[in-house]
Short mmCIF file of all heavy atoms in Angstrom, two decimals:
data_model
loop_
_atom_site.label_atom_id
_atom_site.label_comp_id
_atom_site.label_asym_id
_atom_site.label_seq_id
_atom_site.Cartn_x
_atom_site.Cartn_y
_atom_site.Cartn_z
N GLY A 180 86.72 95.73 90.59
CA GLY A 180 87.81 94.81 90.29
C GLY A 180 88.56 94.31 91.52
O GLY A 180 89.49 93.51 91.40
N HIS A 181 88.15 94.76 92.70
CA HIS A 181 88.83 94.30 93.92
C HIS A 181 88.35 92.91 94.32
O HIS A 181 87.17 92.56 94.14
CB HIS A 181 88.58 95.28 95.07
CG HIS A 181 89.59 96.38 95.14
ND1 HIS A 181 90.87 96.18 95.61
CD2 HIS A 181 89.51 97.69 94.79
CE1 HIS A 181 91.53 97.33 95.54
NE2 HIS A 181 90.74 98.26 95.04
N ASN A 182 89.25 92.15 94.91
CA ASN A 182 88.91 90.84 95.45
C ASN A 182 88.42 91.03 96.89
O ASN A 182 89.05 91.75 97.67
CB ASN A 182 90.15 89.93 95.43
CG ASN A 182 89.84 88.55 95.94
OD1 ASN A 182 88.78 88.00 95.66
ND2 ASN A 182 90.76 87.98 96.71
N ILE A 183 87.30 90.42 97.23
CA ILE A 183 86.75 90.52 98.59
C ILE A 183 86.86 89.14 99.26
O ILE A 183 86.38 88.14 98.73
CB ILE A 183 85.27 90.97 98.57
CG1 ILE A 183 85.13 92.33 97.87
CG2 ILE A 183 84.71 91.02 99.99
CD1 ILE A 183 85.80 93.50 98.54
N ILE A 184 87.53 89.12 100.41
CA ILE A 184 87.62 87.87 101.19
C ILE A 184 86.28 87.69 101.90
O ILE A 184 85.83 88.59 102.61
CB ILE A 184 88.76 87.96 102.25
CG1 ILE A 184 90.09 88.39 101.60
CG2 ILE A 184 88.89 86.64 103.00
CD1 ILE A 184 90.63 87.48 100.53
N PRO A 185 85.61 86.54 101.69
CA PRO A 185 84.28 86.34 102.30
C PRO A 185 84.32 86.54 103.81
O PRO A 185 85.27 86.13 104.48
CB PRO A 185 83.94 84.89 101.95
CG PRO A 185 84.78 84.57 100.75
CD PRO A 185 86.04 85.37 100.91
N ALA A 186 83.27 87.18 104.33
CA ALA A 186 83.24 87.53 105.76
C ALA A 186 82.72 86.38 106.61
O ALA A 186 81.78 85.68 106.23
CB ALA A 186 82.35 88.75 105.96
N VAL A 187 83.36 86.19 107.76
CA VAL A 187 82.84 85.28 108.79
C VAL A 187 82.93 86.02 110.13
O VAL A 187 83.78 86.89 110.30
CB VAL A 187 83.63 83.94 108.86
CG1 VAL A 187 83.50 83.15 107.59
CG2 VAL A 187 85.10 84.17 109.22
N PRO A 188 82.07 85.68 111.10
CA PRO A 188 82.15 86.33 112.42
C PRO A 188 83.52 86.11 113.05
O PRO A 188 84.13 85.06 112.88
CB PRO A 188 81.06 85.63 113.22
CG PRO A 188 80.11 85.11 112.20
CD PRO A 188 80.96 84.74 111.02
N SER A 189 83.99 87.11 113.79
CA SER A 189 85.32 87.03 114.39
C SER A 189 85.32 87.10 115.91
O SER A 189 86.09 86.43 116.55
CB SER A 189 86.21 88.13 113.81
OG SER A 189 87.43 88.18 114.50
N LEU A 190 84.49 87.92 116.50
CA LEU A 190 84.44 88.00 117.97
C LEU A 190 83.12 87.43 118.45
O LEU A 190 82.08 88.04 118.25
CB LEU A 190 84.54 89.47 118.42
CG LEU A 190 85.91 90.09 118.68
CD1 LEU A 190 85.73 91.45 119.31
CD2 LEU A 190 86.79 89.22 119.54
N PHE A 191 83.17 86.25 119.07
CA PHE A 191 81.93 85.66 119.55
C PHE A 191 82.19 84.78 120.76
O PHE A 191 83.33 84.39 121.03
CB PHE A 191 81.24 84.85 118.44
CG PHE A 191 82.13 83.86 117.73
CD1 PHE A 191 82.31 82.58 118.23
CD2 PHE A 191 82.79 84.22 116.56
CE1 PHE A 191 83.14 81.66 117.58
CE2 PHE A 191 83.61 83.32 115.89
CZ PHE A 191 83.79 82.04 116.41
N THR A 192 81.12 84.49 121.49
CA THR A 192 81.22 83.64 122.67
C THR A 192 80.76 82.24 122.30
O THR A 192 80.14 82.04 121.25
CB THR A 192 80.37 84.21 123.82
OG1 THR A 192 79.01 84.27 123.38
CG2 THR A 192 80.82 85.62 124.17
N PHE A 193 81.08 81.26 123.16
CA PHE A 193 80.77 79.86 122.85
C PHE A 193 79.50 79.41 123.56
O PHE A 193 79.35 79.62 124.77
CB PHE A 193 81.93 78.95 123.30
CG PHE A 193 83.21 79.13 122.52
CD1 PHE A 193 84.35 78.40 122.89
CD2 PHE A 193 83.30 80.00 121.44
CE1 PHE A 193 85.55 78.56 122.17
CE2 PHE A 193 84.49 80.15 120.73
CZ PHE A 193 85.61 79.43 121.10
N ASN A 194 78.59 78.80 122.80
CA ASN A 194 77.38 78.23 123.38
C ASN A 194 77.67 76.79 123.83
O ASN A 194 78.04 75.95 123.00
CB ASN A 194 76.23 78.21 122.36
CG ASN A 194 75.80 79.61 121.97
OD1 ASN A 194 76.24 80.58 122.56
ND2 ASN A 194 74.94 79.70 120.98
N ILE A 195 77.50 76.53 125.12
CA ILE A 195 77.81 75.20 125.68
C ILE A 195 76.69 74.83 126.65
O ILE A 195 76.38 75.58 127.57
CB ILE A 195 79.16 75.23 126.46
CG1 ILE A 195 80.31 75.59 125.51
CG2 ILE A 195 79.41 73.90 127.16
CD1 ILE A 195 81.61 75.95 126.23
N ASN A 196 76.08 73.67 126.41
CA ASN A 196 75.04 73.18 127.33
C ASN A 196 75.64 72.00 128.08
O ASN A 196 75.70 70.89 127.57
CB ASN A 196 73.80 72.77 126.53
CG ASN A 196 72.67 72.33 127.43
OD1 ASN A 196 72.74 72.48 128.66
ND2 ASN A 196 71.63 71.77 126.86
N ASP A 197 76.11 72.24 129.30
CA ASP A 197 76.84 71.23 130.06
C ASP A 197 76.46 71.35 131.53
O ASP A 197 76.49 72.45 132.10
CB ASP A 197 78.35 71.43 129.88
CG ASP A 197 79.16 70.28 130.43
OD1 ASP A 197 79.17 70.09 131.66
OD2 ASP A 197 79.81 69.57 129.63
N ALA A 198 76.10 70.23 132.14
CA ALA A 198 75.63 70.23 133.53
C ALA A 198 76.65 70.84 134.50
O ALA A 198 76.27 71.45 135.50
CB ALA A 198 75.31 68.79 133.96
N ARG A 199 77.95 70.73 134.16
CA ARG A 199 78.99 71.24 135.07
C ARG A 199 78.95 72.75 135.22
O ARG A 199 79.38 73.29 136.24
CB ARG A 199 80.38 70.80 134.59
CG ARG A 199 80.65 69.33 134.74
CD ARG A 199 81.91 68.93 133.98
NE ARG A 199 81.73 69.02 132.53
CZ ARG A 199 82.69 68.80 131.65
NH1 ARG A 199 83.92 68.50 132.06
NH2 ARG A 199 82.44 68.87 130.36
N ILE A 200 78.48 73.44 134.18
CA ILE A 200 78.51 74.91 134.24
C ILE A 200 77.11 75.53 134.17
O ILE A 200 76.97 76.74 134.31
CB ILE A 200 79.40 75.51 133.13
CG1 ILE A 200 78.86 75.14 131.74
CG2 ILE A 200 80.84 75.08 133.30
CD1 ILE A 200 79.54 75.87 130.59
N ARG A 201 76.08 74.69 134.01
CA ARG A 201 74.73 75.20 133.77
C ARG A 201 74.23 76.09 134.91
O ARG A 201 73.55 77.09 134.69
CB ARG A 201 73.77 74.03 133.58
CG ARG A 201 72.42 74.42 133.00
CD ARG A 201 71.58 73.18 132.73
NE ARG A 201 72.19 72.33 131.72
CZ ARG A 201 72.26 71.00 131.79
NH1 ARG A 201 71.77 70.37 132.84
NH2 ARG A 201 72.83 70.31 130.83
N ASP A 202 74.56 75.73 136.14
CA ASP A 202 74.00 76.44 137.30
C ASP A 202 74.98 77.44 137.94
O ASP A 202 74.74 77.90 139.06
CB ASP A 202 73.55 75.42 138.37
CG ASP A 202 72.45 74.51 137.82
OD1 ASP A 202 71.62 75.00 137.03
OD2 ASP A 202 72.44 73.32 138.18
#
Side-chain angles (χ1 to χ4, degrees):
H181 271 285
N182 182 39
I183 301 296
I184 308 300
V187 296
S189 172
L190 270 189
F191 50 86
T192 60
F193 292 177
N194 295 352
I195 298 167
N196 183 9
D197 190 293
R199 290 168 292 176
I200 61 171
R201 194 175 296 137
D202 299 325

